[in-house]
Amino acid sequence: MIETLYFSESIKNNILKGAKWAKFLAILGFIGTGFMVLAALAMYGAMSFIGSDISRFDQMRPMGSFFKFMPLLYLVMAAVYFFLCFYLFQYATKSTNAASNDDQSEMELAFTNQFKMYRLVGITTIVTIVSYALIVIRMMTFASQMGGSGMNSI
């Protein structure tokens, strides 16, 4: 059984307009990804330059491992952001081709890339929410430990 889906001229025009915006946002995202990678490299370079001097500052010592982790975190975020932009760009390109040429297979590929982008956004959102929850729990644990140790010294 062959199923067909008809796109009116109005729908095609809206797909083309949306695809232009999707391509624009994807290109901006690629540029942003490049800046994230540059920031990670700059942080790594700054930490290499500072080296062990950060240990001289007692108040910074608890944050030392966090500072070493930041460039890696930025690179992971850049990788995720790159794939989001890549799927968005693929959606824009394939939906433009499909709407312009009435190509069913290109439209299927366009919606496949759109689905991949939405799935990655969903997974990223879940990971972010869980990370925030873990950070809040860790901060509460740290605060209770600090409060408890302060009470014992009185």
Side-chain angles (χ1 to χ4, degrees), residues 52-128:
S52 62
D53 289 343
I54 199 166
S55 64
R56 290 188 302 170
F57 304 103
D58 287 336
Q59 68 271 18
M60 296 294 282
R61 196 166 287 149
M63 297 297 289
S65 62
F66 178 72
F67 287 134
K68 292 177 184 174
F69 180 68
M70 282 301 292
L72 180 62
L73 180 64
Y74 263 62
L75 289 175
V76 169
M77 289 177 6
V80 170
Y81 201 57
F82 170 80
F83 281 105
L84 286 171
C85 296
F86 177 74
Y87 292 141
L88 184 61
F89 188 82
Q90 288 289 19
Y91 165 75
T93 303
K94 298 208 179 295
S95 62
T96 299
N97 292 342
S100 298
N101 302 326
D102 292 326
D103 190 343
Q104 180 75 25
S105 63
E106 280 289 299
M107 189 58 78
E108 288 174 8
L109 290 173
F111 284 126
T112 298
N113 282 294
Q114 186 183 44
F115 164 75
K116 288 178 181 180
M117 186 194 70
Y118 287 149
R119 181 179 56 194
L120 187 55
V121 167
I123 292 169
T124 305
T125 302
I126 291 168
V127 168
T128 301

Side-chain angles (χ1 to χ4, degrees), residues 133-149:
L134 292 174
I135 289 169
V136 167
I137 290 169
R138 177 64 183 130
M139 287 173 48
M140 290 170 51
T141 305
F142 182 72
S144 69
Q145 289 172 352
M146 293 301 289
S149 66

